[in-house]
Amino acid sequence: MAEAERIIGTPDVDDEAAAPAERPKGRRRIAALFTVAVVAYLLDLGSKMLVVARLEHHEPIDVIGDLLRFEAVRNPGAAFGMGEAFTVIFTVIAATVIVVIARLARKLYSLPWAIALGLLLGGALGNLTDRIFRSPSPFQGAVVDFIAPAHFAVFNLADSAIVCGGILIVLLSFRGLDPDGTVHKD
């Protein structure tokens, strides 16, 4: 049916006039995705550089009494320090997430999804950069974590971006909003 409408055309819609209006909207969403990703990545990278230069091998800094402190920690594993022997696998997973998001970006027409995927992309790039370039060796590097809430795991801004992006994706899914901008009312 869609092929027939494309060939024959419809009296209400001119394909050539409608197509240019759709493309810029999609491009704006892709631009938003990459802008959010770059901002998240640069904030993470800058914070880690600052932590390595000023906080590593020093005493932790209490930010809010006993509730929050900054403490430089190298984490070769995943969240909560789990899976320290699987650093290479985490590197592959992060690289895969980046490729999937880059491919999904072509079909992106939703600003909330662009923001969510941008947060995931920026966070994945931030932690992947650590895994590739930090010691002990390429693709096995330990991630720099430094935000240490009381009674919780130490994390970084990339982890925060990934979690916020994931939560936003769950919320968008529950609301029925797809990355292509369509809304499902179930």
Side-chain angles (χ1 to χ4, degrees):
M1 180 73 151
E3 182 65 19
E5 288 179 353
R6 186 189 64 78
I7 293 170
I8 298 170
T10 60
D12 297 321
V13 178
D14 181 13
D15 286 341
E16 291 179 18
E22 291 175 9
R23 282 189 212 119
K25 183 178 179 184
R27 286 189 182 137
R28 284 194 300 265
R29 302 306 184 248
I30 292 170
L33 181 148
F34 288 113
T35 300
V36 170
V38 166
V39 168
Y41 176 72
L42 291 176
L43 287 172
D44 179 65
L45 184 64
S47 67
K48 289 175 180 175
M49 291 171 61
L50 188 62
V51 165
V52 169
R54 304 270 173 121
L55 190 57
E56 200 165 49
H57 308 296
H58 292 86
E59 290 295 316
I61 299 171
D62 291 329
V63 179
I64 304 174
D66 292 338
L67 296 177
L68 179 66
R69 65 182 178 180
F70 291 155
E71 176 180 9
V73 175
R74 296 287 181 124
N75 181 3
F80 305 103
M82 296 185 301
E84 291 182 10
F86 302 105
T87 303
V88 173
I89 293 171
F90 298 133
T91 304
V92 171
I93 290 169
T96 302
V97 166
I98 291 165
V99 169
V100 168
I101 291 172
R103 293 198 65 195
L104 183 60
R106 295 179 299 137
K107 300 175 184 176
L108 190 62
Y109 287 95
S110 166
L111 182 59
W113 271 93
I115 293 167
L117 293 174
L119 288 168
L120 284 177
L121 181 60
L125 283 169
N127 283 340
L128 182 62
T129 299
D130 281 359
R131 297 209 185 274
I132 291 174
F133 296 109
R134 295 207 187 271
S135 62
S137 63
F139 299 98
Q140 295 183 347
V143 174
V144 175
D145 289 334
F146 62 93
I147 304 169
H151 313 293
F152 195 72
V154 182
F155 58 96
N156 58 43
L157 295 180
D159 298 334
S160 298
I162 291 168
V163 169
C164 290
I167 290 170
L168 185 53
I169 286 171
V170 169
L171 293 173
L172 293 171
S173 297
F174 277 131
R175 295 198 65 201
L177 181 62
D178 287 343
D180 66 0
T182 58
V183 178
H184 300 282
K185 296 187 183 202
D186 293 313

